[in-house]
């Protein structure tokens, strides 16, 4: 649709090679969950993890940063986060480290033109002196397309009211945002150079999770299917079907976070055995107000739930060998995953939260 705008805005070059999906012998991994346009949070997390210096350059050495997807939507500074990730990526590689910007459901939504969660400020971040002209061209192309193939209910009346409604739905910067997120655009194309699922040593990382329907497929097959779908390439025969939108797929599955452990434990055990890992780390589902574990540490959740009016703890995970550390409100705590160690961890989190506010809503058990 309106392909010439994409060509006019961004230069389309050959599709990149498929991303690597497995690494071994990594000494330190920093895991950051969903960001949703909160640049201040991301910048603070990078600082706390020692991954950037005072000039916002990579200082993490051989550390692997895993950002679990859902960079865009809900807050204004998506573009700033993406630009920083893009800048840090080659710097980390030169230092022997790595930036893994995984694909989440909101990356897929933006690439497919689903902007229901995109904020006005995110569109405005793309607006410049040419935005009105580009929107006029997009409007003209939209009208021409409707006239060439009228909808079943007949053509709308292209009057001032119709144009005002169109402009409200397409604020200045909308066209540029749409183009940048397309598979040929600067951000969409960058997304498709990344993975939806990776393994680093004994841990699998992804945005949502893997439901039983997808266990027959290996990591490479699922990852290839996600990227191919975002590039609008045909599905591979016998491969994962409808992987971008299937609720059991790696971008959407919430069972690891939400299903009762008694009901889900057999599936978790099967997934760990299938992929030869000790644990699965996910974002996507806001269940707890801290980095937390389920299934005695077989699943770790990193998407932080922050009720309205509460202060975000800027929580994230650090893995150094077999040692798991959660960072919460700037404090580093051993991540106890089972029994008394888990109870002690939760008690320390609650104490840190109460020090910020006595409001019981701000600590979710």
């Amino acid at each position: 649709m309106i392909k010439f705008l994409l060509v006019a805005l961004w230069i389309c070059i050959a599709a990149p090679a498929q991303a690597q999906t497995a690494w071994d012998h990594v000494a330190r991994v920093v895991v950051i969950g969903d960001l949703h346009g909160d640049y201040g949070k991301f910048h603070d997390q990078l600082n706390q993890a020692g991954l950037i210096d005072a000039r916002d350059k990579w200082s993490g050495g051989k550390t692997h940063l895993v950002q679990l997807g859902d960079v865009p939507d809900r807050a204004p500074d998506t573009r700033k986060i993406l630009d920083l990730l893009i800048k840090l990526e080659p710097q980390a590689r030169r230092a022997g480290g790595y930036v893994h910007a995984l694909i989440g459901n909101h990356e897929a939504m933006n690439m497919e033109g689903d902007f229901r969660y995109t904020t006005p400020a995110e569109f405005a971040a793309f607006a410049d002196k040419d935005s009105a002209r580009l929107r006029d061209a997009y409007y003209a192309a939209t009208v021409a397309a409707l006239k060439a193939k009228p909808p079943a209910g007949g053509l709308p009346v292209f009057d001032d009211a119709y144009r005002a409604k169109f402009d409200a739905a397409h604020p200045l910067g909308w066209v540029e945002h749409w183009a940048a997120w397309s598979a040929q655009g600067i951000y969409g194309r960058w997304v498709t150079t990344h993975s939806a699922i990776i393994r680093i040593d004994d841990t699998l990382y992804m945005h949502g999770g893997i439901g039983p329907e997808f266990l027959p497929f290996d990591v490479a097959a699922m990852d290839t299917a996600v990227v191919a779908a975002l590039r609008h390439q045909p599905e591979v025969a016998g491969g994962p079907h409808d992987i971008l939108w299937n609720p059991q797929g790696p971008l959407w599955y919430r069972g690891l976070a939400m299903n009762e452990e008694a009901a889900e434990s057999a599936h978790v055990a099967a997934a760990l055995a299938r992929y030869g890992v000790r644990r699965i780390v996910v974002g996507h589902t806001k269940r707890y107000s801290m980095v937390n574990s389920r299934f005695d540490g077989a699943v770790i959740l990193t998407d932080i739930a922050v009720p309205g009016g509460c202060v975000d703890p800027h929580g994230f995970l650090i893995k150094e060998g077999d040692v798991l550390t959660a960072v919460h409100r700037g404090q580093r705590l051993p991540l106890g995953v089972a029994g008394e160690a888990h109870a002690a961890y939760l008690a320390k989190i609650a104490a840190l939260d109460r020090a910020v506010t006595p409001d019981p809503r701000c600590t979710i058990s």
Side-chain angles (χ1 to χ4, degrees):
M1 181 179 178
I2 327 300
K3 297 291 187 182
F4 74 91
L5 283 176
L6 300 181
V7 176
L9 286 165
W10 311 106
I11 297 175
C12 176
I13 56 179
Q18 181 62 40
Q20 182 179 347
T21 59
W23 288 260
D24 291 297
H25 311 300
V26 175
R28 183 172 188 256
V29 183
V30 172
V31 189
I32 292 176
D34 306 34
L35 294 169
H36 286 301
D38 190 340
Y39 177 82
K41 173 180 177 176
F42 182 49
H43 194 268
D44 183 49
Q45 290 169 321
L46 293 176
N47 270 316
Q48 289 186 48
L51 299 184
I52 56 172
D53 63 18
R55 296 181 296 170
D56 290 346
K57 293 185 176 181
W58 180 261
S59 60
K62 295 182 179 180
T63 298
H64 282 225
L65 167 64
V66 180
Q67 198 288 311
L68 291 168
D70 276 14
V71 168
D73 297 334
R74 296 199 169 103
D77 291 325
T78 292
R79 195 173 188 186
K80 290 177 66 176
I81 297 173
L82 291 170
D83 288 345
L84 182 54
L85 283 167
I86 291 170
K87 184 181 82 168
L88 291 176
E89 197 166 28
Q91 295 175 1
R93 293 291 293 274
R94 288 194 293 270
Y98 217 103
V99 172
H100 306 275
L102 301 190
I103 301 169
N105 62 302
H106 280 259
E107 280 77 15
M109 291 167 70
N110 274 263
M111 288 191 66
E112 294 297 297
D114 183 345
F115 302 147
R116 77 184 87 166
Y117 299 109
T118 306
T119 67
E122 288 179 279
F123 293 129
F126 288 88
D128 60 23
K129 61 182 178 62
D130 293 322
S131 293
R133 177 181 61 81
L134 287 169
R135 184 171 66 181
D136 287 345
Y138 185 78
Y139 175 77
T142 299
V143 170
L146 287 171
K147 288 181 176 179
K149 190 176 182 180
L155 284 173
V157 177
F158 299 116
D159 55 9
D160 289 346
Y162 180 89
R163 179 60 196 261
K165 185 177 180 181
F166 180 92
D167 287 353
H170 303 83
L172 294 180
W174 186 99
V175 175
E176 296 94 323
H177 178 279
W178 168 66
W181 274 100
S182 76
Q184 294 80 30
I186 186 172
Y187 297 127
R189 186 179 183 281
W190 179 78
V191 166
T192 63
T193 66
H194 294 81
S195 296
I197 312 172
I198 60 172
R199 179 189 61 77
I200 302 177
D201 291 310
D202 60 358
T203 304
L204 206 61
Y205 300 90
M206 70 196 76
H207 178 65
I210 296 177
E213 184 178 325
F214 282 79
L215 280 190
F217 304 104
D218 62 25
V219 167
M222 289 187 285
D223 198 62
T224 298
V226 169
V227 173
L230 291 173
R231 293 175 180 163
H232 299 152
Q233 296 169 347
E235 290 185 344
V236 176
H241 175 60
D242 195 30
I243 195 166
L244 288 187
W245 312 116
N246 191 314
Q248 290 208 19
L251 305 190
W252 291 95
Y253 188 62
R254 297 188 190 274
L256 303 183
M258 299 303 296
N259 289 348
E260 292 293 333
E261 292 199 16
E264 189 79 359
S265 60
H267 168 61
V268 171
L272 298 184
R274 169 71 175 88
Y275 300 109
V277 294
R278 184 176 178 182
R279 68 183 63 83
I280 301 171
V281 178
V282 299
H284 185 51
T285 303
K286 296 180 184 297
R287 180 164 184 182
Y288 303 106
S289 62
M290 75 295 286
V291 173
N292 206 357
S293 65
R294 302 191 76 209
F295 306 96
D296 292 336
V299 173
I300 297 177
L301 311 179
T302 66
D303 191 9
I304 310 298
V306 185
C310 300
V311 179
D312 192 307
H314 292 190
F316 62 96
L317 175 71
I318 300 175
K319 181 180 182 294
E320 295 171 297
D322 291 331
V323 178
L324 300 176
T325 303
V327 179
H328 190 87
R329 304 196 188 283
Q331 301 297 310
R332 299 190 177 206
L333 306 173
L335 179 58
V337 297
E340 292 182 0
H342 189 225
Y345 168 71
L346 295 180
K348 291 175 183 177
I349 291 290
L352 290 173
D353 289 342
R354 285 194 295 269
V356 173
T357 174
D359 188 338
R361 297 179 309 110
C362 297
T363 299
I364 300 177
S365 60

